[in-house]
Amino acid sequence: MSEPLLQVTNLQKLFPIKKGLFRSTVGHVRAVDGVSFSVRAGETFGLVGESGCGKSTTGRSLLRLIEPTGGDIIFAGQDVRKMSRQNLRALRRQMQIVFQDPYASLNPRYTIKQTLEEPLLIHRLGHSSREREKRIEQLMETVGLSPSRMHRYPHEFSGGQRQRIGIARALAVSPQVIVADEPVSALDVSVQSQVLNLFDDLQKEFHIAYIFIAHDLSVVKHISDRIGVMYLGKMVELADADDLYHEPLHPYSQALLSAVPVPDPDAKRDRIILQGDLPSPANPPSGCYFHPRCKDAMDVCRLKAPDWQEVKPGHFTACHLYGHAKGGA
Ligand code: SF4
């Protein structure tokens, strides 16, 4: 098996809670609380969980768009957390991000040509304006847009087309990894599959690794090789997409999966309705963070946080239902 391109170990992001006249720190929101995973070249790693579980903060921390509080991020053998500004710029050529809202992430005053030219200028790609224009034409064709529209503005495009522009902007610098942060959740269902197919085609053509973030497991399931499930800042399960789909171990993953429609009516799953709301990460429950909502909770779950363990080869979870096995990431 090839070495991971990206290795994330025990990633942490705490946001201080400030109160009073002097804005003193009275506590922390544990937005990302000890998350570990790896991504290989050309692989899609899906990251799922309810909104507020820390998956977007994780994605942004990888590029240091948000500064992590702790843990290690090793990309292609380099320590991302120790990178200088200059090295960080080089990193952002290798690791790009596509945001959820394609309208908010595009500058409304920039034409598509200006939008796509910006990363080429920042990273000094293309020596002349003609060379850059050629690259922009090529990028627009690659994402299924007519280059004749490069002088138009974002508002002249549909939501799906705007997301294609966001993808073209990420592709402009030929990255090895794209963090796709809920890239289809703002789009109509009819357009979602087209954009997912585009991600798939681009991966085949350019061998890009994706960290694909979504709250909807049905979106992530189709595109991912492996999936990590997050709950309240922690990874609770990580497995091959097929394993997770056919045999989810963690009660939270089971609940998420029970909401995914199945094409075969005979294979219908019973829907597990999660009780209560997601607790606040500023004041998480004791023991296993999921215990107040878990249908299988036992006494030990309130008292002790479960260890992260490899229950089957490559299939990890943190849950007291499984006997203690050798842990790993
Ligand atoms: Fe449920 Fe206990 Fe497992 Fe947590 S550790 S998911 S509460 S069974």
Side-chain angles (χ1 to χ4, degrees):
M1 194 168 285
S2 58
E3 278 290 298
L5 179 62
L6 179 69
Q7 178 74 52
V8 180
T9 310
N10 207 15
L11 185 71
Q12 252 197 348
K13 178 63 195 178
L14 311 181
F15 291 104
I17 305 167
K18 303 221 179 250
K19 269 205 180 135
L21 191 59
F22 299 106
R23 311 297 298 150
S24 32
T25 301
V26 294
H28 287 95
V29 174
R30 307 180 78 83
V32 180
D33 195 2
V35 164
S36 301
F37 60 94
S38 60
V39 185
R40 292 186 286 274
E43 178 189 36
T44 299
F45 183 79
L47 207 48
V48 282
E50 287 162 285
S51 91
C53 73
K55 55 195 190 304
S56 289
T57 307
T58 300
R60 282 158 207 233
S61 298
L62 301 179
L63 287 98
R64 286 185 49 198
L65 296 174
I66 292 176
E67 280 298 338
T69 312
D72 293 317
I73 305 166
I74 307 295
F75 173 73
Q78 294 170 280
D79 188 336
V80 172
R81 291 203 57 214
K82 291 195 178 135
M83 279 182 180
S84 62
R85 252 174 198 284
Q86 200 180 357
N87 288 347
L88 207 50
R89 186 200 282 194
L91 171 81
R92 297 214 177 117
R93 186 172 162 199
Q94 300 301 330
M95 269 173 92
Q96 284 280 308
I97 188 161
V98 172
F99 294 99
Q100 174 180 359
D101 183 345
Y103 198 62
S105 69
L106 299 175
N107 187 331
R109 289 187 293 274
Y110 275 18
T111 63
I112 304 316
K113 178 171 184 262
Q114 288 170 310
T115 299
L116 298 182
E117 193 167 30
E118 193 178 37
L120 301 178
L121 291 168
I122 290 173
H123 294 283
R124 301 194 183 95
L125 301 169
H127 297 300
S128 64
S129 137
R130 181 62 206 133
E131 238 177 82
R132 288 192 294 276
E133 191 165 315
K134 272 237 164 263
R135 175 74 176 135
I136 291 164
E137 285 171 6
Q138 189 192 44
L139 285 165
M140 290 187 76
E141 274 165 4
T142 303
V143 300
L145 294 171
S146 167
S148 64
R149 304 182 73 195
M150 72 166 75
H151 298 291
R152 306 241 176 141
Y153 289 87
H155 74 267
E156 298 177 76
F157 292 83
S158 68
Q161 289 169 333
R162 285 197 290 261
Q163 194 54 295
R164 285 171 191 268
I165 297 163
I167 295 168
R169 181 177 55 186
L171 277 184
V173 293
S174 308
Q176 293 188 65
V177 178
I178 291 181
V179 175
D181 187 4
E182 300 259 12
V184 297
S185 38
L187 305 177
D188 289 347
V189 176
S190 58
V191 182
Q192 285 188 354
S193 57
Q194 295 168 16
V195 174
L196 288 174
N197 287 341
L198 174 63
F199 272 105
D200 215 18
D201 293 345
L202 295 174
Q203 186 170 56
K204 287 192 185 104
E205 193 173 346
F206 301 113
H207 199 59
I208 308 167
Y210 296 137
I211 295 157
F212 201 96
I213 298 170
H215 63 273
D216 182 347
L217 196 48
S218 56
V219 166
V220 166
K221 172 174 89 63
H222 288 295
I223 196 161
S224 302
D225 298 299
R226 290 183 305 135
I227 296 177
V229 180
M230 282 185 73
Y231 185 78
L232 218 62
K234 288 183 180 291
M235 193 79 90
V236 296
E237 186 160 0
L238 190 160
D240 280 354
D242 277 347
D243 275 358
L244 187 84
Y245 187 66
H246 292 295
E247 203 185 338
L249 299 176
H250 196 280
Y252 179 61
S253 312
Q254 290 165 4
L256 284 186
L257 254 169
S258 76
V260 173
V262 257
D264 175 3
D266 294 337
K268 202 169 170 297
R269 294 188 176 94
D270 288 332
R271 180 83 193 261
I272 302 166
I273 308 288
L274 282 175
Q275 306 297 322
D277 295 325
L278 191 69
S280 163
N283 185 22
S286 60
C288 170
Y289 286 1
F290 187 57
H291 86 253
R293 304 171 81 189
C294 180
K295 63 180 175 39
D296 299 314
M298 305 168 280
D299 288 344
V300 64
C301 306
R302 289 171 195 76
L303 303 171
K304 187 175 177 292
D307 291 330
W308 182 244
Q309 52 180 322
E310 189 170 17
V311 176
K312 293 193 298 172
H315 197 150
F316 299 82
T317 193
C319 174
H320 289 306
L321 288 174
Y322 305 94
H324 203 277
K326 197 167 182 292

